[in-house]
Amino acid sequence: MSTFAVEIENITKQYDDLLAVDRINLRIEQGQTLGLIGPNGAGKTTLLRLISTLALPDLGDIRILGDSIRENPQQIRKILGFMPAEFGNPRNLSIGEYLDYFGCMYAIPRGEREKRIKEVCELTDLRGREDVMVKGLSTGNRQRLLLAKTLIHDPQILVLDEPASGLDPRARTELRGIVRTLAEMGKTIIISSHILPDIEEISDRIGIMEAGKLVLDGELSALRDQHRQTTTRIQLRVTASETSRAKELLSKLEGVTSCTLEQPFLVVVTDIPNRNFILAELIKNEIQILQFADDEPSLEKIFMQSTVGRVT
Ligand SMILES: Nc1ncnc2c1ncn2[C@@H]1O[C@H](COP(=O)(O)OP(=O)(O)OP(=O)(O)O)[C@@H](O)[C@H]1O
Ligand SMILES: [Mg+2]
């Protein structure tokens, strides 16, 4: 069996003359969480639907644990769960009935279905709410239910399209916790979102899409290192009374590109990898250093630098 959970080879999907997904190659190891980000219309949903066998590509192939989406979609559907970005139009059902309906679709025998419904309600914090009607659920509970139905057949691979969309901060935190639990269970997860701090927190790897192309992918730490190689940003904190003197000194220092105040820090940008000369200047001038650290490039900064804002 393949060691990769997902192998995407040259996958292309075209709508009329629009290349929604344009020759994407990507491999995801078993147990990894891949965060997929990109501007509106980048092609994320299209790619997730292709992975989930809900659309056929024009070119290329995807293998899920070794099975091809072209040759063996039925096998893939047994081991993959897709959570769509939209809930659709639920009929007049209770949470329990809704989950039972999906359990039937996956041909889970009745006795086991009851057990699975309990398990997925437990996992998604819907425990004890089986009798509540689906219509009228809050956005938070609706998203929980969508995730619960995605998990009903205990899939190894999870494809989640914007699961945190519309959630309030507490519900978002809870959802992150659920995704982390699923990752700890060993599941391979592909998750798209526009909420970059969430993606940053839960992903092992990041894929950035724009205009159908995968413009960047890799482990977050490697992406940060790449980003750092181009410029070094240092977060410096000195005592409040010495901040303006330090700013003045460093702004004039050879090798410093810029020194700006981002309260309470001074952010020093340099293209010299060894930053000891900055420390030396501060010590020479007897400025007390309270904090001196690399300013970690956030996913948002990496995203802004990798995308150009093209609209399809
Ligand atoms: N069924 C379709 N028919 C025609 N065009 C489509 C279809 N589905 C998607 N598209 C187009 O393909 C492009 C990619 O759309 P997609 O929904 O995959 O982007 P996305 O990255 O998920 O965007 P968002 O962040 O807004 O969800 C868009 O230009 C969209 O209008
Ligand atoms: Mg989408």
Side-chain angles (χ1 to χ4, degrees):
M1 196 190 266
S2 168
T3 60
F4 288 103
V6 181
E7 292 171 277
I8 301 175
E9 284 161 18
N10 208 29
I11 205 81
T12 298
K13 179 74 181 174
Q14 193 159 353
Y15 294 116
D16 299 321
D17 54 0
L18 174 84
L19 275 167
V21 170
D22 188 2
R23 288 163 293 168
I24 285 187
N25 290 284
L26 183 66
R27 285 173 165 190
I28 305 161
E29 279 174 39
Q30 289 183 42
Q32 274 195 330
T33 299
L34 173 91
L36 191 63
I37 58 177
N40 289 130
K44 302 178 297 296
T45 297
T46 308
L47 180 63
L48 298 184
R49 287 175 51 81
L50 289 166
I51 295 170
S52 308
T53 76
L54 297 170
L56 265 176
D58 294 300
L59 268 180
D61 199 359
I62 301 176
R63 290 186 177 272
I64 308 290
L65 289 171
D67 280 308
S68 151
I69 54 160
R70 289 181 181 278
E71 288 159 20
N72 221 348
Q74 274 87 359
Q75 176 56 25
I76 293 172
R77 284 173 206 150
K78 288 184 196 158
I79 55 160
L80 182 144
F82 174 69
M83 176 172 169
E86 261 137 53
F87 195 80
N89 241 340
R91 274 166 281 170
N92 220 4
L93 299 172
S94 67
I95 287 180
E97 287 165 339
Y98 180 83
L99 292 172
D100 193 57
Y101 170 78
F102 282 96
C104 286
M105 290 215 321
Y106 283 104
I108 304 170
R110 180 189 287 268
E112 206 182 314
R113 257 187 350 252
E114 281 172 23
K115 191 172 132 257
R116 277 305 298 158
I117 291 172
K118 274 216 172 76
E119 282 170 0
V120 296
C121 284
E122 188 78 33
L123 261 170
T124 56
D125 294 335
L126 286 174
R127 189 181 337 106
R129 295 192 211 172
E130 284 91 334
D131 293 333
V132 175
M133 297 307 281
V134 172
K135 272 189 186 159
L137 282 180
S138 68
T139 310
N141 283 336
R142 236 175 28 219
Q143 291 305 91
R144 284 194 188 98
L145 180 57
L146 256 187
L147 182 56
K149 78 97 190 152
T150 306
L151 297 169
I152 197 77
H153 57 305
D154 196 16
Q156 277 174 270
I157 320 267
L158 294 173
V159 179
L160 314 177
D161 194 6
E162 295 195 45
S165 165
L167 297 188
D168 66 35
R170 181 182 297 277
R172 255 177 58 197
T173 307
E174 282 165 8
L175 182 84
R176 278 202 308 270
I178 298 171
V179 173
R180 227 178 282 123
T181 304
L182 293 166
E184 280 162 13
M185 290 164 74
K187 308 219 180 268
T188 305
I189 305 172
I190 306 174
I191 177 168
S192 82
S193 180
H194 290 292
I195 307 164
L196 304 192
D198 282 4
I199 287 290
E200 193 163 11
E201 197 181 310
I202 57 180
S203 309
D204 304 304
R205 280 184 64 191
I206 303 288
I208 303 182
M209 283 186 76
E210 185 168 45
K213 290 198 163 63
L214 188 68
V215 291
L216 198 70
D217 90 280
E219 291 191 3
L220 192 52
S221 54
L223 297 184
R224 284 206 171 105
D225 287 346
Q226 270 174 30
H227 188 89
R228 264 197 220 100
Q229 271 167 16
T230 47
T231 50
T232 300
R233 280 169 57 97
I234 296 148
Q235 241 184 17
L236 167 69
R237 192 165 178 186
V238 300
T239 54
S241 60
E242 288 177 323
T243 303
S244 57
R245 189 161 70 93
K247 182 172 181 287
E248 206 172 305
L249 278 168
L250 295 182
S251 299
K252 283 192 233 144
L253 186 64
E254 200 180 323
V256 169
T257 316
S258 68
C259 178
T260 48
L261 184 63
E262 286 183 19
Q263 284 290 12
F265 298 104
L266 285 170
V267 174
V268 188
V269 178
T270 174
D271 47 17
I272 297 175
N274 187 336
R275 62 258 0 217
N276 286 356
F277 74 102
I278 299 170
L279 278 172
E281 179 75 2
L282 294 168
I283 293 165
K284 192 175 89 191
N285 287 281
E286 293 182 347
I287 290 177
Q288 198 190 341
I289 302 158
L290 301 179
Q291 197 176 323
F292 187 91
D294 269 12
D295 185 17
E296 278 283 64
S298 64
L299 183 56
E300 192 167 329
K301 278 183 196 140
I302 297 171
F303 177 83
M304 293 308 280
Q305 206 180 52
S306 324
T307 55
V308 290
R310 251 175 302 161
V311 177
T312 51

